[in-house]
Amino acid sequence: MEYKTTKEYAKNLDRKDTLAKYRNQFHIPLQKNGEEYIYFCGNSLGLQPKKTKEYVDQEIIDWANLGVEGHLNAKNPWLPYHEFLSSGYANLLGAKASEVIAMNTLTVNLHLMMISFYNPTKEKFKIIIESDAFPSDIYAVESQIRLHNLDINKSLIKIKPREGETVIRIQDIENLIEKEGDKTTLILLGGVNYYTGQVFEMKKITEQAQKKNIKVGFDLAHAIGNIRLNLHKWGVDFAVWCSYKYLNSGPGSIGGAYIHEKHHSAHLPRLCGWWGHNKDDRFKMPKKFNPIQTAEGWQLSNPPILSLAAIRSSLSIFDEVSMEKLIVKSKNQSKYLRDLLKTINTERIEIITPEDSGCQTSIRVKYGNKLLYEKISEEGIIADWREPDVIRIAPVPLYNSYLDIYKFYKILHKLIK
Ligand SMILES: *Cc1c(COP(=O)(O)O)cnc(C)c1O
Protein backbone atom coordinates (compact mmCIF):
# COMPACT_ATOMS: atom_id res chain seq x y z
CA MET A 1 0.00 0.00 0.00
CA GLU A 2 2.75 2.47 1.02
CA TYR A 3 4.12 3.07 -2.47
CA LYS A 4 0.73 4.34 -3.53
CA THR A 5 0.82 7.18 -1.06
CA THR A 6 3.63 8.99 -2.86
CA LYS A 7 3.25 11.90 -5.23
CA GLU A 8 5.50 10.16 -7.72
CA TYR A 9 3.01 7.30 -7.94
CA ALA A 10 0.18 9.73 -8.78
CA LYS A 11 2.25 11.49 -11.40
CA ASN A 12 3.12 8.18 -12.95
CA LEU A 13 -0.56 7.25 -13.21
CA ASP A 14 -1.17 10.53 -15.02
CA ARG A 15 1.69 9.86 -17.40
CA LYS A 16 0.19 6.51 -18.33
CA ASP A 17 -3.35 7.89 -18.65
CA THR A 18 -4.37 8.03 -22.32
CA LEU A 19 -7.26 10.37 -21.47
CA ALA A 20 -5.08 12.87 -19.61
CA LYS A 21 -4.97 15.19 -22.62
CA TYR A 22 -8.69 15.95 -22.32
CA ARG A 23 -8.16 17.96 -19.14
CA ASN A 24 -6.76 20.70 -21.33
CA GLN A 25 -10.06 20.88 -23.22
CA PHE A 26 -11.79 22.25 -20.10
CA HIS A 27 -11.64 25.50 -18.19
CA ILE A 28 -10.38 24.65 -14.71
CA PRO A 29 -11.39 27.39 -12.23
CA LEU A 30 -8.50 29.30 -10.66
CA GLN A 31 -7.93 30.29 -7.05
CA LYS A 32 -6.97 33.83 -6.05
CA ASN A 33 -3.34 32.77 -5.92
CA GLY A 34 -3.53 31.72 -9.57
CA GLU A 35 -3.42 28.00 -8.87
CA GLU A 36 -6.05 25.67 -10.22
CA TYR A 37 -8.73 24.52 -7.84
CA ILE A 38 -9.03 20.81 -7.28
CA TYR A 39 -12.47 20.51 -8.77
CA PHE A 40 -14.43 17.52 -7.51
CA CYS A 41 -17.91 18.87 -8.13
CA GLY A 42 -18.64 17.50 -11.58
CA ASN A 43 -21.55 15.63 -10.04
CA SER A 44 -23.15 18.99 -9.31
CA LEU A 45 -21.96 21.29 -12.09
CA GLY A 46 -19.57 19.99 -14.70
CA LEU A 47 -16.78 22.23 -15.99
CA GLN A 48 -17.00 24.16 -19.21
CA PRO A 49 -15.46 22.60 -22.32
CA LYS A 50 -13.33 25.25 -24.03
CA LYS A 51 -15.00 24.60 -27.38
CA THR A 52 -18.48 25.30 -26.01
CA LYS A 53 -17.94 29.00 -26.64
CA GLU A 54 -17.50 28.28 -30.35
CA TYR A 55 -20.71 26.26 -30.47
CA VAL A 56 -22.72 28.94 -28.68
CA ASP A 57 -21.07 31.79 -30.63
CA GLN A 58 -22.09 30.13 -33.89
CA GLU A 59 -25.75 30.49 -32.93
CA ILE A 60 -25.28 34.01 -31.53
CA ILE A 61 -23.71 35.03 -34.84
CA ASP A 62 -26.36 33.33 -36.96
CA TRP A 63 -29.06 34.96 -34.89
CA ALA A 64 -27.42 38.38 -35.40
CA ASN A 65 -27.03 37.88 -39.13
CA LEU A 66 -30.15 35.96 -39.99
CA GLY A 67 -32.84 36.75 -37.45
CA VAL A 68 -35.80 34.48 -37.92
CA GLU A 69 -34.28 33.03 -41.09
CA GLY A 70 -31.91 31.11 -38.83
CA HIS A 71 -34.62 28.54 -38.22
CA LEU A 72 -33.95 27.24 -41.72
CA ASN A 73 -30.74 28.91 -42.86
CA ALA A 74 -28.43 28.91 -39.88
CA LYS A 75 -25.32 26.80 -40.34
CA ASN A 76 -27.03 24.39 -37.95
CA PRO A 77 -30.70 25.10 -38.63
CA TRP A 78 -32.67 25.72 -35.45
CA LEU A 79 -35.83 24.02 -36.60
CA PRO A 80 -34.35 20.51 -36.36
CA TYR A 81 -31.54 21.48 -33.93
CA HIS A 82 -32.66 19.06 -31.21
CA GLU A 83 -32.24 16.22 -33.69
CA PHE A 84 -28.47 16.90 -33.82
CA LEU A 85 -28.29 15.69 -30.22
CA SER A 86 -30.22 12.46 -30.61
CA SER A 87 -27.45 10.09 -31.60
CA GLY A 88 -25.07 11.40 -28.91
CA TYR A 89 -27.71 10.96 -26.25
CA ALA A 90 -28.73 7.58 -27.62
CA ASN A 91 -25.13 6.38 -27.27
CA LEU A 92 -24.86 7.52 -23.67
CA LEU A 93 -28.19 6.00 -22.71
CA GLY A 94 -28.07 2.78 -24.68
CA ALA A 95 -31.24 3.80 -26.45
CA LYS A 96 -32.46 4.30 -30.00
CA ALA A 97 -32.22 7.84 -31.33
CA SER A 98 -36.00 7.87 -31.65
CA GLU A 99 -36.33 7.17 -27.91
CA VAL A 100 -34.52 10.28 -26.64
CA ILE A 101 -35.36 13.94 -26.68
CA ALA A 102 -33.54 17.00 -25.35
CA MET A 103 -36.16 19.23 -23.77
CA ASN A 104 -37.15 21.19 -20.64
CA THR A 105 -35.42 20.67 -17.31
CA LEU A 106 -35.28 17.55 -15.22
CA THR A 107 -38.14 18.14 -12.80
CA VAL A 108 -40.40 19.37 -15.59
CA ASN A 109 -39.68 16.21 -17.54
CA LEU A 110 -40.37 14.11 -14.48
CA HIS A 111 -43.82 15.66 -14.30
CA LEU A 112 -44.46 15.11 -18.00
CA MET A 113 -43.42 11.47 -17.70
CA MET A 114 -45.64 10.92 -14.67
CA ILE A 115 -48.59 12.36 -16.54
CA SER A 116 -48.02 9.57 -19.05
CA PHE A 117 -46.83 6.78 -16.77
CA TYR A 118 -48.59 7.32 -13.45
CA ASN A 119 -52.15 6.27 -14.11
CA PRO A 120 -53.48 5.11 -10.76
CA THR A 121 -56.59 2.96 -10.53
CA LYS A 122 -58.53 1.91 -7.46
CA GLU A 123 -56.52 -1.30 -7.18
CA LYS A 124 -53.13 -0.20 -8.48
CA PHE A 125 -52.10 3.24 -7.34
CA LYS A 126 -48.85 3.15 -5.35
CA ILE A 127 -45.45 4.59 -6.25
CA ILE A 128 -42.16 3.23 -4.93
CA ILE A 129 -39.30 5.71 -4.50
CA GLU A 130 -36.05 5.90 -2.49
CA SER A 131 -36.50 7.42 0.95
CA ASP A 132 -33.47 9.62 0.34
CA ALA A 133 -34.31 10.52 -3.23
CA PHE A 134 -33.40 14.05 -4.27
CA PRO A 135 -36.00 16.36 -2.70
CA SER A 136 -37.25 17.68 -6.03
CA ASP A 137 -38.18 14.14 -7.06
CA ILE A 138 -40.12 13.64 -3.84
CA TYR A 139 -41.95 16.97 -4.27
CA ALA A 140 -42.79 16.05 -7.85
CA VAL A 141 -44.08 12.60 -6.95
CA GLU A 142 -46.12 13.84 -4.00
CA SER A 143 -47.70 16.58 -6.04
CA GLN A 144 -48.62 14.07 -8.76
CA ILE A 145 -50.30 11.88 -6.15
CA ARG A 146 -52.24 14.89 -4.91
CA LEU A 147 -53.20 15.75 -8.46
CA HIS A 148 -55.04 12.41 -8.56
CA ASN A 149 -56.74 13.22 -5.24
CA LEU A 150 -54.98 10.35 -3.51
CA ASP A 151 -53.57 10.13 -0.01
CA ILE A 152 -49.78 10.38 0.01
CA ASN A 153 -49.49 8.24 3.15
CA LYS A 154 -51.29 5.38 1.45
CA SER A 155 -49.86 5.86 -2.02
CA LEU A 156 -46.17 6.56 -1.62
CA ILE A 157 -43.77 3.84 -0.47
CA LYS A 158 -40.31 5.11 0.44
CA ILE A 159 -37.76 2.34 0.47
CA LYS A 160 -34.99 2.74 3.04
CA PRO A 161 -31.68 1.05 3.77
CA ARG A 162 -31.83 -1.41 6.69
CA GLU A 163 -31.21 -0.13 10.18
CA GLY A 164 -27.51 0.65 10.56
CA GLU A 165 -26.86 0.44 6.78
CA THR A 166 -26.49 3.27 4.30
CA VAL A 167 -27.44 1.80 0.95
CA ILE A 168 -30.53 -0.09 -0.16
CA ARG A 169 -30.13 -3.82 -0.79
CA ILE A 170 -31.38 -5.13 -4.12
CA GLN A 171 -32.95 -7.98 -2.18
CA ASP A 172 -35.08 -5.49 -0.26
CA ILE A 173 -36.24 -3.82 -3.47
CA GLU A 174 -37.17 -7.21 -4.88
CA ASN A 175 -39.03 -8.17 -1.72
CA LEU A 176 -40.92 -4.92 -1.76
CA ILE A 177 -41.92 -5.42 -5.39
CA GLU A 178 -43.11 -8.90 -4.48
CA LYS A 179 -45.08 -7.69 -1.49
CA GLU A 180 -46.57 -4.45 -2.85
CA GLY A 181 -46.45 -5.21 -6.57
CA ASP A 182 -50.16 -5.79 -7.03
CA LYS A 183 -50.99 -2.37 -5.67
CA THR A 184 -48.02 -0.57 -7.20
CA THR A 185 -48.19 1.08 -10.59
CA LEU A 186 -44.88 2.96 -10.77
CA ILE A 187 -41.36 2.58 -9.46
CA LEU A 188 -39.10 5.61 -9.73
CA LEU A 189 -35.47 5.40 -8.66
CA GLY A 190 -32.29 7.32 -9.30
CA GLY A 191 -29.96 5.36 -11.57
CA VAL A 192 -27.29 6.54 -9.15
CA ASN A 193 -28.39 7.88 -5.78
CA TYR A 194 -27.28 11.51 -5.48
CA TYR A 195 -26.32 11.18 -1.81
CA THR A 196 -24.65 7.80 -1.40
CA GLY A 197 -23.52 7.33 -4.99
CA GLN A 198 -25.14 3.88 -4.96
CA VAL A 199 -25.73 2.50 -8.46
CA PHE A 200 -29.04 0.67 -8.72
CA GLU A 201 -29.31 -2.59 -10.60
CA MET A 202 -31.59 -1.12 -13.20
CA LYS A 203 -31.87 -4.20 -15.39
CA LYS A 204 -32.90 -6.47 -12.55
CA ILE A 205 -35.32 -3.97 -11.03
CA THR A 206 -36.97 -3.36 -14.39
CA GLU A 207 -37.45 -7.07 -15.02
CA GLN A 208 -38.89 -7.73 -11.59
CA ALA A 209 -41.21 -4.76 -11.64
CA GLN A 210 -42.54 -5.36 -15.12
CA LYS A 211 -43.47 -8.92 -14.16
CA LYS A 212 -45.87 -7.24 -11.76
CA ASN A 213 -47.09 -4.88 -14.43
CA ILE A 214 -45.38 -1.91 -12.82
CA LYS A 215 -44.01 0.93 -14.95
CA VAL A 216 -40.33 1.69 -14.35
CA GLY A 217 -38.69 5.10 -14.57
CA PHE A 218 -35.19 6.25 -13.65
CA ASP A 219 -33.89 9.67 -12.77
CA LEU A 220 -30.48 9.63 -14.42
CA ALA A 221 -29.22 13.01 -13.15
CA HIS A 222 -26.19 11.30 -11.59
CA ALA A 223 -25.97 8.40 -14.02
CA ILE A 224 -25.74 9.89 -17.50
CA GLY A 225 -22.14 10.46 -18.58
CA ASN A 226 -21.07 8.50 -15.52
CA ILE A 227 -22.00 4.82 -15.83
CA ARG A 228 -22.97 2.39 -18.58
CA LEU A 229 -26.65 2.54 -19.41
CA ASN A 230 -28.65 0.21 -21.64
CA LEU A 231 -32.15 1.56 -21.29
CA HIS A 232 -33.61 0.05 -24.45
CA LYS A 233 -32.31 -3.44 -23.85
CA TRP A 234 -33.32 -3.35 -20.22
CA GLY A 235 -36.81 -2.38 -21.32
CA VAL A 236 -36.96 0.66 -19.03
CA ASP A 237 -40.22 2.52 -19.64
CA PHE A 238 -38.95 6.06 -19.22
CA ALA A 239 -36.05 8.10 -17.87
CA VAL A 240 -35.17 11.75 -17.32
CA TRP A 241 -31.89 13.58 -16.80
CA CYS A 242 -30.19 16.93 -16.64
CA SER A 243 -27.19 17.95 -18.72
CA TYR A 244 -25.25 20.20 -16.35
CA LYS A 245 -23.72 17.55 -14.06
CA TYR A 246 -21.46 14.94 -15.70
CA LEU A 247 -22.52 16.26 -19.11
CA ASN A 248 -20.84 19.64 -18.64
CA SER A 249 -23.46 21.62 -20.53
CA GLY A 250 -23.74 24.66 -18.31
CA PRO A 251 -25.80 25.89 -15.36
CA GLY A 252 -29.51 25.22 -15.79
CA SER A 253 -28.96 23.82 -19.27
CA ILE A 254 -31.93 21.82 -20.48
CA GLY A 255 -32.39 18.14 -19.72
CA GLY A 256 -33.95 15.29 -21.56
CA ALA A 257 -36.26 12.35 -21.53
CA TYR A 258 -36.17 8.79 -22.82
CA ILE A 259 -39.36 6.93 -23.64
CA HIS A 260 -39.16 3.30 -24.74
CA GLU A 261 -40.37 2.87 -28.30
CA LYS A 262 -43.11 0.45 -27.23
CA HIS A 263 -44.93 3.49 -25.81
CA HIS A 264 -44.53 5.85 -28.75
CA SER A 265 -47.78 5.09 -30.46
CA ALA A 266 -49.67 3.89 -27.38
CA HIS A 267 -52.42 6.26 -26.42
CA LEU A 268 -50.95 7.38 -23.14
CA PRO A 269 -52.24 10.49 -21.46
CA ARG A 270 -49.89 13.37 -22.09
CA LEU A 271 -49.63 17.12 -21.91
CA CYS A 272 -49.30 18.51 -25.40
CA GLY A 273 -47.64 21.41 -27.14
CA TRP A 274 -47.02 22.39 -30.74
CA TRP A 275 -43.44 21.14 -30.89
CA GLY A 276 -44.68 17.62 -30.27
CA HIS A 277 -46.99 17.81 -33.26
CA ASN A 278 -46.26 15.98 -36.52
CA LYS A 279 -43.45 17.89 -38.23
CA ASP A 280 -45.00 17.70 -41.70
CA ASP A 281 -47.89 19.98 -40.94
CA ARG A 282 -46.88 21.72 -37.71
CA PHE A 283 -46.69 25.08 -39.44
CA LYS A 284 -50.05 24.67 -41.08
CA MET A 285 -51.25 25.28 -37.54
CA PRO A 286 -53.86 22.51 -37.52
CA LYS A 287 -56.41 22.53 -34.72
CA LYS A 288 -56.07 18.87 -33.81
CA PHE A 289 -52.91 17.62 -32.08
CA ASN A 290 -51.22 14.77 -33.87
CA PRO A 291 -48.10 13.64 -31.96
CA ILE A 292 -44.82 12.71 -33.60
CA GLN A 293 -44.50 8.94 -33.14
CA THR A 294 -41.15 9.16 -31.33
CA ALA A 295 -39.97 10.64 -28.04
CA GLU A 296 -40.20 14.01 -29.84
CA GLY A 297 -43.96 13.75 -29.47
CA TRP A 298 -43.57 14.72 -25.80
CA GLN A 299 -42.06 18.12 -26.63
CA LEU A 300 -44.09 21.17 -25.72
CA SER A 301 -42.14 24.19 -26.90
CA ASN A 302 -39.47 25.08 -29.37
CA PRO A 303 -36.24 24.58 -27.41
CA PRO A 304 -33.55 27.08 -26.31
CA ILE A 305 -30.92 26.81 -29.05
CA LEU A 306 -28.09 28.36 -26.99
CA SER A 307 -28.54 25.64 -24.41
CA LEU A 308 -28.71 22.92 -27.06
CA ALA A 309 -25.51 24.30 -28.59
CA ALA A 310 -23.69 23.83 -25.28
CA ILE A 311 -25.00 20.28 -25.01
CA ARG A 312 -23.96 19.54 -28.56
CA SER A 313 -20.45 20.68 -27.80
CA SER A 314 -20.30 18.45 -24.77
CA LEU A 315 -21.76 15.41 -26.52
CA SER A 316 -19.12 15.73 -29.23
CA ILE A 317 -16.46 15.12 -26.57
CA PHE A 318 -18.26 12.04 -25.24
CA ASP A 319 -18.60 10.77 -28.81
CA GLU A 320 -14.90 11.15 -29.35
CA VAL A 321 -13.76 9.59 -26.07
CA SER A 322 -16.48 6.92 -25.63
CA MET A 323 -18.15 5.96 -22.38
CA GLU A 324 -16.24 2.68 -22.30
CA LYS A 325 -12.88 4.41 -21.89
CA LEU A 326 -14.26 6.92 -19.43
CA ILE A 327 -15.65 4.15 -17.27
CA VAL A 328 -12.32 2.32 -17.17
CA LYS A 329 -10.57 5.47 -15.97
CA SER A 330 -13.33 6.35 -13.56
CA LYS A 331 -13.10 2.93 -11.93
CA ASN A 332 -9.33 3.27 -11.63
CA GLN A 333 -9.63 6.74 -10.13
CA SER A 334 -12.27 5.68 -7.62
CA LYS A 335 -10.20 2.71 -6.58
CA TYR A 336 -7.11 4.88 -6.17
CA LEU A 337 -9.08 7.38 -4.07
CA ARG A 338 -10.48 4.60 -1.87
CA ASP A 339 -7.06 3.01 -1.40
CA LEU A 340 -5.66 6.34 -0.28
CA LEU A 341 -8.59 7.07 2.03
CA LYS A 342 -8.19 3.68 3.67
CA THR A 343 -4.80 4.79 4.97
CA ILE A 344 -6.45 7.68 6.83
CA ASN A 345 -7.80 7.36 10.35
CA THR A 346 -11.06 5.47 9.98
CA GLU A 347 -12.27 6.74 13.34
CA ARG A 348 -12.94 10.03 11.61
CA ILE A 349 -14.18 9.17 8.14
CA GLU A 350 -16.19 6.41 6.52
CA ILE A 351 -16.75 5.79 2.81
CA ILE A 352 -20.46 5.14 2.35
CA THR A 353 -20.42 4.62 -1.42
CA PRO A 354 -20.26 0.93 -2.38
CA GLU A 355 -17.19 -0.20 -4.31
CA ASP A 356 -17.45 -0.21 -8.08
CA SER A 357 -19.94 2.65 -8.27
CA GLY A 358 -19.58 5.63 -10.59
CA CYS A 359 -17.35 8.70 -10.23
CA GLN A 360 -18.76 9.82 -6.89
CA THR A 361 -17.44 8.79 -3.50
CA SER A 362 -19.43 9.97 -0.50
CA ILE A 363 -17.43 10.31 2.68
CA ARG A 364 -19.20 10.39 6.01
CA VAL A 365 -17.46 12.59 8.56
CA LYS A 366 -17.89 10.86 11.89
CA TYR A 367 -18.70 12.99 14.93
CA GLY A 368 -18.44 15.55 12.27
CA ASN A 369 -19.68 18.96 11.86
CA LYS A 370 -19.13 20.95 8.72
CA LEU A 371 -15.72 22.13 9.92
CA LEU A 372 -13.68 19.53 8.04
CA TYR A 373 -15.47 20.41 4.83
CA GLU A 374 -14.86 24.11 5.38
CA LYS A 375 -11.19 23.46 6.02
CA ILE A 376 -10.67 21.46 2.82
CA SER A 377 -12.48 24.22 0.91
CA GLU A 378 -10.01 26.77 2.27
CA GLU A 379 -7.23 24.58 0.90
CA GLY A 380 -8.51 24.89 -2.66
CA ILE A 381 -10.74 21.87 -2.98
CA ILE A 382 -14.19 22.28 -4.49
CA ALA A 383 -16.34 19.44 -3.23
CA ASP A 384 -19.76 19.60 -1.68
CA TRP A 385 -21.34 19.07 1.66
CA ARG A 386 -24.65 17.33 2.14
CA GLU A 387 -26.35 17.51 5.52
CA PRO A 388 -26.03 16.03 8.00
CA ASP A 389 -22.50 14.68 7.62
CA VAL A 390 -21.39 13.83 4.09
CA ILE A 391 -18.71 15.24 1.80
CA ARG A 392 -19.25 14.25 -1.81
CA ILE A 393 -16.18 13.93 -4.01
CA ALA A 394 -16.43 13.20 -7.70
CA PRO A 395 -13.21 12.79 -9.68
CA VAL A 396 -14.36 13.03 -13.29
CA PRO A 397 -12.30 11.09 -15.84
CA LEU A 398 -12.59 13.78 -18.51
CA TYR A 399 -10.79 16.47 -16.53
CA ASN A 400 -9.55 15.23 -13.15
CA SER A 401 -6.03 13.90 -12.79
CA TYR A 402 -4.66 11.32 -10.41
CA LEU A 403 -2.62 14.15 -8.98
CA ASP A 404 -5.88 15.94 -8.04
CA ILE A 405 -6.87 12.88 -6.05
CA TYR A 406 -3.48 12.67 -4.43
CA LYS A 407 -3.54 16.34 -3.41
CA PHE A 408 -6.98 15.91 -1.90
CA TYR A 409 -5.78 12.93 0.08
CA LYS A 410 -2.76 14.84 1.39
CA ILE A 411 -4.93 17.74 2.55
CA LEU A 412 -7.49 15.49 4.20
CA HIS A 413 -4.75 13.43 5.84
CA LYS A 414 -3.11 16.55 7.25
CA LEU A 415 -6.39 17.96 8.56
CA ILE A 416 -7.49 14.74 10.21
CA LYS A 417 -4.13 14.19 11.88
C1 LIG B 1 -29.67 17.50 -9.87
C2 LIG B 1 -30.91 16.74 -9.65
C3 LIG B 1 -32.16 17.31 -9.90
C4 LIG B 1 -32.27 18.75 -10.34
O1 LIG B 1 -33.48 19.03 -10.96
P1 LIG B 1 -33.67 20.27 -11.94
O2 LIG B 1 -35.07 20.13 -12.33
O3 LIG B 1 -32.68 20.12 -13.06
O4 LIG B 1 -33.38 21.52 -11.16
C5 LIG B 1 -33.29 16.52 -9.73
N1 LIG B 1 -33.20 15.24 -9.31
C6 LIG B 1 -32.00 14.67 -9.04
C7 LIG B 1 -31.93 13.24 -8.59
C8 LIG B 1 -30.84 15.40 -9.19
O5 LIG B 1 -29.66 14.84 -8.92
Side-chain angles (χ1 to χ4, degrees):
M1 180 72 75
E2 266 311 302
Y3 71 102
K4 281 194 177 176
T5 60
T6 64
K7 192 172 188 176
E8 206 36 54
Y9 185 80
K11 284 183 164 173
N12 201 33
L13 290 174
D14 281 327
R15 273 193 291 272
K16 285 192 293 191
D17 172 18
T18 56
L19 303 187
K21 60 183 180 202
Y22 286 97
R23 178 183 176 91
N24 192 34
Q25 293 195 17
F26 289 83
H27 291 288
I28 314 281
L30 295 180
Q31 305 180 49
K32 284 204 190 90
N33 64 10
E35 268 183 53
E36 287 175 345
Y37 276 106
I38 296 169
Y39 194 83
F40 281 155
C41 234
N43 57 331
S44 182
L45 184 73
L47 291 180
Q48 184 186 139
K50 289 179 182 165
K51 67 173 167 178
T52 292
K53 186 170 185 318
E54 232 173 87
Y55 278 72
V56 175
D57 279 352
Q58 179 68 51
E59 306 318 320
I60 288 280
I61 291 165
D62 282 350
W63 174 25
N65 291 338
L66 299 168
V68 71
E69 301 287 315
H71 282 299
L72 295 172
N73 297 336
K75 181 169 175 227
N76 315 298
W78 304 329
L79 194 64
Y81 200 104
H82 64 274
E83 296 170 29
F84 305 147
L85 281 61
S86 302
S87 77
Y89 267 145
N91 288 340
L92 293 180
L93 293 155
K96 297 187 176 183
S98 61
E99 293 174 315
V100 301
I101 178 67
M103 62 176 186
N104 313 314
T105 44
L106 190 154
T107 310
V108 173
N109 286 332
L110 196 51
H111 277 296
L112 294 183
M113 292 301 109
M114 280 193 284
I115 291 288
S116 292
F117 292 98
Y118 179 51
N119 301 305
T121 62
K122 228 170 151 196
E123 295 74 35
K124 220 168 160 58
F125 56 92
K126 296 191 185 189
I127 302 181
I128 296 175
I129 192 170
E130 305 139 87
S131 68
D132 60 351
F134 195 80
S136 194
D137 299 40
I138 305 244
Y139 306 152
V141 166
E142 289 187 350
S143 59
Q144 286 282 335
I145 291 172
R146 260 185 249 114
L147 202 60
H148 289 280
N149 293 318
L150 293 170
D151 180 346
I152 290 169
N153 292 323
K154 290 186 189 136
S155 311
L156 187 59
I157 308 175
K158 293 182 179 169
I159 182 163
K160 279 199 195 67
R162 293 184 189 182
E163 194 65 36
E165 298 184 4
T166 46
V167 297
I168 300 169
R169 296 192 194 193
I170 178 75
Q171 185 67 53
D172 290 352
I173 299 176
E174 289 178 331
N175 290 345
L176 185 63
I177 290 171
E178 209 38 55
K179 179 164 157 258
E180 295 281 356
D182 294 337
K183 290 186 175 161
T184 301
T185 183
L186 173 65
I187 178 160
L188 176 74
L189 297 171
V192 175
N193 180 272
Y194 84 102
Y195 192 84
T196 61
Q198 174 181 19
V199 178
F200 285 102
E201 291 183 51
M202 288 176 258
K203 177 171 186 273
K204 219 175 203 179
I205 293 167
T206 306
E207 261 170 32
Q208 284 277 330
Q210 288 177 345
K211 271 189 216 148
K212 289 276 186 184
N213 202 15
I214 299 170
K215 292 287 187 291
V216 183
F218 290 106
D219 178 334
L220 302 177
H222 286 264
I224 191 164
N226 179 14
I227 61 167
R228 184 69 254 165
L229 296 164
N230 260 315
L231 301 185
H232 178 83
K233 225 161 133 196
W234 297 338
V236 173
D237 293 291
F238 73 89
V240 294
W241 62 89
C242 53
S243 63
Y244 48 81
K245 292 173 178 169
Y246 294 107
L247 292 190
N248 312 316
S249 299
S253 196
I254 68 165
Y258 150 93
I259 300 124
H260 195 285
E261 70 180 353
K262 66 189 166 197
H263 300 300
H264 291 177
S265 52
H267 292 280
L268 295 172
R270 69 171 112 192
L271 297 179
C272 310
W274 76 312
W275 224 249
H277 183 92
N278 179 8
K279 286 181 242 185
D280 296 335
D281 69 347
R282 183 194 284 147
F283 285 92
K284 293 190 184 131
M285 304 295 178
K287 293 277 181 288
K288 189 173 162 9
F289 179 71
N290 175 19
I292 306 169
Q293 301 285 304
T294 69
E296 293 171 282
W298 272 262
Q299 294 173 107
L300 300 180
S301 303
N302 76 104
I305 299 300
L306 300 182
S307 176
L308 292 183
I311 299 172
R312 191 159 166 244
S313 156
S314 171
L315 290 177
S316 75
I317 300 174
F318 280 89
D319 264 352
E320 185 185 318
V321 184
S322 89
M323 236 14 250
E324 279 54 46
K325 283 191 192 152
L326 289 171
I327 289 169
V328 170
K329 178 171 171 187
S330 162
K331 282 187 189 297
N332 288 338
Q333 288 197 314
S334 297
K335 172 132 196 341
Y336 176 57
L337 171 64
R338 295 176 84 97
D339 285 349
L340 290 176
L341 290 177
K342 279 181 203 154
T343 70
I344 297 184
N345 187 348
T346 50
E347 301 275 295
R348 287 295 312 281
I349 56 166
E350 176 196 356
I351 300 173
I352 63 172
T353 308
E355 272 179 43
D356 247 333
S357 302
C359 298
Q360 178 180 329
T361 296
S362 301
I363 304 168
R364 170 160 290 150
V365 180
K366 295 197 219 168
Y367 339 101
N369 46 34
K370 221 176 153 182
L371 202 65
L372 184 63
Y373 167 72
E374 282 161 3
K375 287 247 169 75
I376 63 169
S377 303
E378 282 166 22
E379 301 261 0
I381 289 164
I382 300 186
D384 79 8
W385 174 261
R386 281 287 173 269
E387 294 294 342
D389 56 3
V390 165
I391 298 173
R392 297 188 305 175
I393 296 292
V396 168
L398 271 176
Y399 50 75
N400 283 119
S401 62
Y402 289 88
L403 192 59
D404 285 342
I405 297 172
Y406 178 77
K407 286 179 180 166
F408 166 72
Y409 150 77
K410 282 301 267 188
I411 290 167
L412 197 65
H413 193 48
K414 181 183 80 184
L415 289 171
I416 284 180
K417 254 204 306 206

